[in-house]
DNA sequence: CGCTACATACCGACCGGTTGGTATGTCCTC
DNA sequence: GAGGACATACCAACCGGTCGGTATGTAGCG
């Protein structure tokens, strides 16, 4: 296998992502990216047609990992619990677990970076983000509906909004966690969400 | 009142804020700002020492309005309800009310914009955001504590994290609302938060 | 094997345009 | 006529992107 191609492209993407998470897309020049990756502009534009091409590749990779994470938690909670309510709570518990023990670098989210500079990206790039968030809505809503079918929640509640609250709690946590410099904030907020669900469906 | 000075400065800030909310701080050039405000660079640098000076002024104004909003809701809920639990629920209800009926432009938050490009701003600017969020934490935690003292919540819960969840729900809603193009998402999420509190303290 | 033909990976100089910022000038008001 | 409120003109640095070139394959063929 040629040691170069894939490696270099990935390295560019990794360095670019780190820079974008820190200072945003627009402030991340391709000059800075290639310097960080110890390359030249020639190398960059060999692998990407334009800077926007990189942006698209990055968000697609991020969405892919994100959905893989979702599917994994879905599958595991499916295996670990039979009861719909338990399945729901285990699912959220697994997510919480994944964000525990986070200390040093406060979480960043590429979606937040892109949304904050939304005016710079084309429809296709936005669609990647939208589709990913909608997958979360659909899947979580499915879990909630199954739990509600097994036994109605303690109070009447908008199940779609409840599903969205998980994603909202994640994205909001990323923002607030960085703003306050508190790494454990994400996991604590997901735990809050779980407490909410326990109250609704009876833990 | 002199019609010029304050007006021009405010106009610069307004246009700059609108642009930053749309495409971020870095991608908002002072050239674009003065063009939007129908001015020239001379005018801009007459009112601001540097672009960073504008950034600071904007976040300070935003924080001021944000805290005024908080204080108003705090004062009104104080007047409208005597019981600590009712006071808490009315407080959140007022916030929800303020975000209802929002249709056209999906909400943006300057804090989100700044956090997404955190690496570009100095400590002082970050401190403004941090202090503002901490005020929310303190005040909401106070309301929660008072409610808990009047009658313990239905389940044991981390009251500080519960306080943070309100801010997290706001910031997260701003992000997701823009990403999905759903203007009513903010109010629906704040309503979810209220439902959570009702479950904890008994509406 | 040796030769040709072509592809991939990367370099570094360079281009036009834009950036934040400055220096100077002009007009209006007190 | 002094000072504030702008406009005009300009600069050096940097921006995304192009281009000619090179080094290293790699596949086909005799």
């Amino acid at each position: 296998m040629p040691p170069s191609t894939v490696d270099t492209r990935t390295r560019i993407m990794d360095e670019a992502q780190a820079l974008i998470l820190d200072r945003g897309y627009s402030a991340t020049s391709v000059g800075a990216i290639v310097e960080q990756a110890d390359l030249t502009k020639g190398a960059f534009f060999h692998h990407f047609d334009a800077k926007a091409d990189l942006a698209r590749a990055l968000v697609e990779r991020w969405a892919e990992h994100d959905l893989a994470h979702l599917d994994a938690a879905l599958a595991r909670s499916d295996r670990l619990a039979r009861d719909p309510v338990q399945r729901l709570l285990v699912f959220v518990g697994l997510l919480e677990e994944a964000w525990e023990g986070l200390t040093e670098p406060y979480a960043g989210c590429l979606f937040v970076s892109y949304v904050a500079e939304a005016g710079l990206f084309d429809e296709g790039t936005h669609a990647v983000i939208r589709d990913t968030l909608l997958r979360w809505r659909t899947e979580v809503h499915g879990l909630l509906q199954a739990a509600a079918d097994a036994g109605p929640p303690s109070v009447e509640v908008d199940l779609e909004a409840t599903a969205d609250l998980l994603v909202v709690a994640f994205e909001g946590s990323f923002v607030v966690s960085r703003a306050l410099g508190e790494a454990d904030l994400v996991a604590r907020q997901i735990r809050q969400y779980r407490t909410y669900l326990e109250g609704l469906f009876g833990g």
Side-chain angles (χ1 to χ4, degrees), chain A:
Chain A
M1 190 202 304
S4 43
T5 305
V6 176
D7 243 17
T8 298
R9 186 183 160 96
T10 304
R11 211 165 80 237
I12 291 175
M13 290 179 68
D14 290 346
E15 301 294 347
Q17 183 173 295
L19 289 172
I20 291 172
L21 254 18
D22 177 55
R23 53 217 235 200
Y25 173 75
S26 174
T28 301
S29 67
V30 341
I33 295 169
V34 297
E35 189 179 341
Q36 201 71 20
D38 208 26
L39 291 164
T40 61
K41 283 204 200 182
F44 181 93
F45 286 102
H46 171 72
H47 289 282
F48 300 96
D49 288 343
K51 197 191 170 189
D53 192 20
L54 197 232
R56 182 65 171 274
L58 278 178
V59 78
E60 275 170 357
R61 187 178 71 168
W62 187 278
E64 211 175 296
H65 290 172
D66 188 48
L67 290 180
H69 192 182
L70 166 62
D71 287 332
L74 239 25
R76 286 185 64 194
S77 62
D78 223 47
R79 254 182 285 114
L80 289 169
R82 183 151 294 171
D83 173 63
V85 173
Q86 281 309 310
R87 198 167 273 176
L88 174 67
L89 296 177
V90 166
F91 170 74
V92 178
L94 288 173
L95 295 179
E96 182 192 335
E97 207 179 87
W99 287 97
E100 262 168 14
L102 192 68
T103 51
E104 267 295 327
Y106 317 116
C109 174
L110 203 65
F111 292 166
V112 173
S113 303
Y114 279 41
V115 168
E117 297 176 272
L120 304 177
F121 303 100
D122 57 25
E123 231 306 291
T125 300
H126 284 122
V128 174
I129 298 176
R130 203 167 48 235
D131 291 349
T132 305
L133 297 186
L134 288 177
R135 257 297 304 282
W136 278 85
R137 169 185 285 177
T138 303
E139 298 294 349
V140 178
H141 183 256
L143 288 174
L144 287 166
Q145 193 61 255
D149 289 345
S154 54
V155 296
E156 221 175 307
V157 69
D158 180 351
L159 281 192
E160 197 180 70
T162 307
D164 285 343
L165 181 53
L166 178 59
V167 176
V168 165
F170 264 117
E171 304 298 342
S173 290
F174 295 146
V175 172
V176 177
S177 166
R178 282 195 81 187
L180 296 181
E182 299 181 2
D184 64 336
L185 198 141
V186 179
R188 285 174 75 191
Q189 292 303 314
I190 302 308
R191 167 158 283 277
Q192 284 285 314
Y193 183 71
R194 199 148 77 98
T195 303
Y196 178 36
L197 296 184
E198 283 170 1
L200 283 179
F201 297 103

